[in-house]
C-alpha cells in the first residue's frame, strides 16, 4: 500500500542556517506530495504541494522538490528564522484523494 | 484560524459525556474529524461529504459523529477513556479530492 516515511524526528538549528527535511514515499499511483506546518497550539497548515506535473513548489521562502527516481521529496529553506520553529509533516495523497498519509513529523527548533 | 471554528478549545473530563463542535465558513462540502495524539501525526477518524458519512475508520464506538448541516460537524463522546486524551481537529475541503483546511483543535484531557 501507499506510505510515506519521515525519519528526522527533531532538528535544531540556529537562525540563518540551512534547513533540509527529507521524506520518502511508496505508491503505485500518481501521488500529490504535500508539506504541512503545525505551529504550537494550532492545526496543520498546508505549506507546499507538488505533483507529478510540477516537481517543485515554493512558498514563504520554503522550497519543496520531489525526485521520482528516488521516490523522495524534501523541504528546504536557505535561511531559517526563529519563527519557523514548528512541526513539519510530509504527506502523500493518492491520485483520487481517497487516502491521505502523513509522515511522523519533524520538530524544528530554531535558536536565535 | 477563524475560517474553521472549534469549541471548546480545552476540555478536561472524567468518565463523562461531551460533544465537540466544529463550524466552517468556507462553503466546503467535505468535513473531517482527525485525532492527533502526542508527538504523532493526525489520524483520520471520520469523513462526511455533503452531510453523508462516507469514511468511518476504526474508531471506538464511544465516538459518534454527527453532521447537522453542511457547515457543522459534531463529535459526541461517551464515557471517555484516558487513551482518548489527544487533540481533535476538524478539517474541511471543497470536495473530497481538494486540499484540507484544519481548525485549531480541541485539546481533550481525560483524568
Amino acid at each position: 500500500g501507499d506510505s510515506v516515511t519521515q525519519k528526522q524526528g527533531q532538528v535544531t538549528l540556529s537562525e540563518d542556517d540551512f534547513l533540509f527535511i527529507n521524506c520518502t514515499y511508496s505508491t503505485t499511483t500518481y501521488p500529490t506530495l504535500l508539506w504541512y506546518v503545525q505551529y504550537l497550539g494550532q492545526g496543520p497548515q498546508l505549506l507546499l504541494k507538488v505533483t507529478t506535473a510540477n516537481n517543485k513548489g515554493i512558498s514563504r521562502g520554503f522550497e519543496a522538490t520531489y525526485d521520482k527516481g528516488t521516490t523522495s521529496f524534501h523541504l528546504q529553506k536557505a535561511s531559517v528564522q526563529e519563527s519557523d520553529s514548528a512541526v513539519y509533516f510530509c504527506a502523500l495523497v493518492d491520485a483520487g484523494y481517497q487516502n491521505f498519509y502523513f509522515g511522523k513529523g519533524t520538530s524544528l527548533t530554531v535558536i536565535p | 484560524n477563524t475560517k474553521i471554528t472549534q469549541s471548546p478549545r480545552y476540555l478536561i473530563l472524567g468518565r463523562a459525556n461531551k460533544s465537540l463542535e466544529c463550524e466552517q465558513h468556507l462553503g466546503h462540502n467535505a468535513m473531517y474529524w482527525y485525532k492527533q495524539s502526542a508527538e504523532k501525526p493526525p489520524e483520520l477518524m471520520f469523513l462526511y461529504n455533503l452531510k453523508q458519512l462516507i469514511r468511518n475508520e476504526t474508531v471506538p464506538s464511544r465516538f459518534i459523529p454527527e453532521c447537522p448541516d453542511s457547515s457543522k460537524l459534531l463529535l459526541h463522546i461517551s464515557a471517555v477513556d484516558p487513551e482518548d486524551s489527544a487533540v481533535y481537529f476538524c478539517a474541511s475541503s471543497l470536495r473530497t479530492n481538494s486540499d484540507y483546511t484544519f481548525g485549531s483543535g480541541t485539546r481533550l484531557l481525560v483524568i
Side-chain angles (χ1 to χ4, degrees):
Chain A
D2 295 351
S3 67
V4 62
T5 302
Q6 185 176 2
K7 291 187 176 180
Q8 295 160 280
Q10 294 198 346
V11 173
T12 301
L13 297 172
S14 299
E15 280 195 324
D16 298 323
D17 280 352
F18 173 71
L19 171 69
F20 182 92
I21 305 173
N22 191 51
C23 274
T24 57
Y25 68 91
S26 173
T27 181
T28 58
T29 64
Y30 296 98
T32 296
L33 305 167
L34 310 102
W35 283 99
Y36 277 85
V37 57
Q38 186 173 24
Y39 299 103
L40 189 65
Q42 298 183 23
Q45 303 172 23
L46 182 63
L47 180 60
L48 283 166
K49 179 170 69 173
V50 293
T51 66
T52 52
N54 63 315
N55 63 354
K56 180 178 289 190
I58 298 175
S59 174
R60 302 189 235 171
F62 290 88
E63 181 177 312
T65 57
Y66 107 96
D67 185 331
K68 188 178 178 183
T70 59
T71 62
S72 65
F73 63 116
H74 63 262
L75 179 71
Q76 64 183 54
K77 188 176 184 183
S79 176
V80 294
Q81 302 303 305
E82 187 181 5
S83 58
D84 294 325
S85 296
V87 180
Y88 293 82
F89 292 99
C90 59
L92 177 152
V93 184
D94 63 19
Y97 264 73
Q98 294 302 303
N99 294 290
F100 201 104
Y101 305 92
F102 277 102
K104 292 186 176 181
T106 297
S107 177
L108 171 65
T109 301
V110 180
I111 302 171
Chain B
N1 184 352
T2 57
K3 296 177 181 177
I4 300 182
T5 55
Q6 288 188 243
S7 63
R9 287 297 308 273
Y10 300 94
L11 190 56
I12 301 175
L13 291 176
R15 287 187 64 83
N17 304 335
K18 192 66 178 179
S19 296
L20 311 185
E21 300 184 6
C22 170
E23 184 170 11
Q24 53 98 357
H25 311 278
L26 297 164
H28 287 171
N29 294 318
M31 295 189 74
Y32 311 76
W33 279 116
Y34 273 83
K35 175 184 179 182
Q36 187 175 28
S37 301
E39 300 183 355
K40 289 189 175 181
E43 297 174 322
L44 180 65
M45 300 174 73
F46 302 104
L47 159 60
Y48 276 85
N49 188 45
L50 298 170
K51 294 175 58 179
Q52 299 299 311
L53 181 65
I54 61 171
R55 287 285 290 272
N56 183 352
E57 303 299 298
T58 304
V59 175
S61 58
R62 58 182 177 273
F63 290 90
I64 300 174
E66 180 185 356
C67 189
D69 66 57
S70 58
S71 67
K72 291 182 181 175
L73 197 59
L74 306 174
L75 184 63
H76 306 294
I77 314 175
S78 57
V80 290
D81 188 88
E83 70 178 25
D84 299 332
S85 295
V87 181
Y88 292 85
F89 288 105
C90 174
S92 71
S93 59
L94 181 61
R95 297 174 296 274
T96 55
N97 61 350
S98 304
D99 295 334
Y100 294 11
T101 299
F102 283 86
S104 296
T106 293
R107 283 144 188 81
L108 171 63
L109 175 62
V110 180
I111 55 176

